[in-house]
């Protein structure tokens, strides 16, 4: 659900919502129009009948995101993939969109896969987290476990880069040094090793397998040769 690219700028939003129902459910034009109105009302778009004939550029960012959600759930999916659903939205609208996604998830009994760089969103919405770096899973587990006890250096770096209200005055979040691989580079070992303060020679030679974290509850796993809790950099 990328906010600026998921909607066709040349097609009225009513037609965009109805298109999925006609294609996947075989809904007639009349029924699809009525259902589109109901969907817009469900996702909190005011004056739904008028909005059917409007184009994306006539709506605010928050309304466009609500329309995108209506388009996504029109065909009654079992799984909804939301890719950066709060990008470019202010904090208030972000909260409204996240509440809407959670409400629709519960109402429809569907699974929600949230793709985002916003750890605040991850912490508030998800039950389970998968942390990826350079296209590979580096840590996975229950959200509470990941945030309470991160075990991969990249996850820990992400946590330390978040602004905190309880940080001393003048203390800035820590940045992760270096840059991620371009995707064209052949990496034999751990792709995070060039940026990792815990990296050892073995990290450059082999990619560590994803394995269960010792003393962790549930199914918390990390792909790292080092225990970041006990071994110094």
């Amino acid at each position: 659900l990328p906010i600026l690219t998921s909607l066709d700028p040349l097609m009225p939003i009513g037609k965009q919502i109805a298109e999925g129902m006609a294609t996947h459910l075989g809904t007639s034009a009349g029924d699809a129009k009525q259902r589109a109105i109901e969907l817009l009302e469900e996702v909190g778009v005011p004056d739904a009948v008028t909005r059917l004939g409007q184009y994306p550029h006539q709506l605010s960012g928050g309304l466009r995101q609500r329309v995108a959600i209506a388009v996504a759930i029109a065909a009654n999916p079992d799984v909804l993939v939301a890719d950066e659903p709060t990008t470019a939205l202010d904090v208030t609208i972000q909260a409204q969109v996240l509440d809407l996604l959670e409400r629709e998830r519960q109402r429809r009994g569907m699974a929600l896969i949230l793709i985002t760089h916003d750890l605040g969103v991850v912490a508030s919405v998800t039950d389970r987290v998968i942390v990826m770096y350079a296209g590979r899973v580096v840590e996975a587990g229950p959200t509470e476990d990941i945030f309470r006890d991160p075990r991969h250096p990249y996850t820990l770096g992400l946590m330390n880069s978040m602004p905190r209200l309880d940080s001393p005055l003048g203390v800035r979040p820590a940045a992760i040094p270096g840059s991620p691989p371009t995707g064209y580079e052949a990496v034999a070992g751990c792709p995070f090793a060039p940026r990792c303060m815990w990296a050892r020679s073995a990290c450059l030679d082999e990619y560590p397998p994803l394995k269960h974290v010792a003393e962790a509850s549930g199914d918390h796993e990390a792909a790292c040769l080092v225990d970041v809790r006990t071994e110094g950099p």
Side-chain angles (χ1 to χ4, degrees), residues 166-221:
D166 58 355
S167 296
L169 187 65
V171 175
R172 296 184 176 183
I176 300 176
S179 301
T182 62
Y184 299 99
E185 305 170 17
V187 180
C190 175
F192 189 65
R195 308 177 68 188
C196 180
M197 66 176 65
W198 280 275
R200 313 292 167 80
S201 58
C203 300
L204 301 175
D205 298 329
E206 61 176 299
Y207 184 81
L210 196 65
K211 59 183 180 181
H212 183 263
V213 173
E215 301 176 7
S217 61
D219 55 352
H220 191 172
E221 298 176 299

Side-chain angles (χ1 to χ4, degrees), residues 119 147-148 150 156 158-174:
L119 293 181
F147 277 82
R148 183 185 66 249
L156 188 62
L158 292 176
M159 301 293 185
N160 291 336
S161 68
M162 292 178 62
R164 298 176 59 94
L165 293 176
D166 58 355
S167 296
L169 187 65
V171 175
R172 296 184 176 183

